[in-house]
Amino acid sequence: MDQLTKDVVRGVISYIYGPDVLRIMGGEFRIEVSKTGGLRRIYLGDKLIFTIRASDGRPLPTLEGARFINKVVIVSREAAPFVKQGRSVMARFIIDIRNAVPGDEVAIYSEDGELLGVGRLLLSRDEVLSVNRGVAVKLRQHVRSSEG
């Protein structure tokens, strides 16, 4: 992987998820490239932190990568078990949305600070607080529930 490509990837991640992400990530990341030369995955050490969406090249955080981004949705304790089962986040269970707008990839945390999953935000903070119904975050990955 040449230095120019790494610099471009750093710039894209910084632009989408904020300049602090690279500082928080700390170490040197590794980029996996397909046989045709397209970017596929980004690793930090041996942990997969971003996958690259084929349609537009956007880096999407995995559960490991969610720990680095600052686009966050906080859900109530009562919603946490459902998110762990892979259910989308309903607007009425959202307590707060930080640094995110509709279309952003967000990390989903319980109000106790437990990482529950990652997904795409569908509604704005104002819409969530005023409408208080419907799906607000479409889940992409979730932490497996340890129950049953």
Side-chain angles (χ1 to χ4, degrees):
M1 179 64 36
D2 66 352
Q3 190 59 43
L4 177 62
T5 303
K6 279 192 167 190
D7 289 343
V8 168
V9 169
R10 274 190 193 92
V12 168
I13 290 172
S14 179
Y15 177 75
I16 293 172
Y17 297 105
D20 292 338
V21 172
L22 296 174
R23 182 183 51 76
I24 294 168
M25 283 173 36
E28 190 64 25
F29 58 85
R30 178 174 53 89
I31 302 168
E32 181 182 308
V33 180
S34 71
K35 291 178 185 176
T36 61
L39 304 180
R40 299 292 288 263
R41 296 175 188 93
I42 300 172
Y43 293 88
L44 187 62
D46 62 344
K47 297 185 190 253
L48 176 64
I49 57 172
F50 290 98
T51 59
I52 307 298
R53 187 165 49 201
S55 63
D56 61 2
R58 185 182 182 105
L60 304 175
T62 63
L63 286 172
E64 286 296 326
R67 301 175 198 286
F68 301 114
I69 66 173
N70 66 354
K71 296 177 184 238
V72 174
V73 171
I74 312 266
V75 300
S76 67
R77 285 182 192 90
E78 60 188 296
F82 297 103
V83 176
K84 284 182 177 182
Q85 291 174 4
R87 305 255 174 95
S88 293
V89 179
M90 304 305 285
R92 72 174 184 222
F93 296 111
I94 292 181
I95 294 173
D96 196 14
I97 297 174
R98 298 181 188 150
N99 304 319
V101 296
D104 282 348
E105 292 291 319
V106 294
I108 304 160
Y109 286 90
S110 72
E111 59 186 313
D112 298 324
E114 177 187 12
L115 177 64
L116 303 173
V118 291
R120 188 175 72 245
L121 184 64
L122 303 175
L123 301 175
S124 72
R125 186 173 195 276
D126 292 339
E127 289 171 327
V128 166
L129 297 176
S130 64
V131 174
N132 208 25
R133 62 185 307 165
V135 175
V137 180
K138 183 171 187 207
L139 210 60
R140 200 168 39 76
Q141 268 190 325
H142 63 282
V143 175
R144 302 273 183 244
S145 177
S146 59
E147 303 143 10

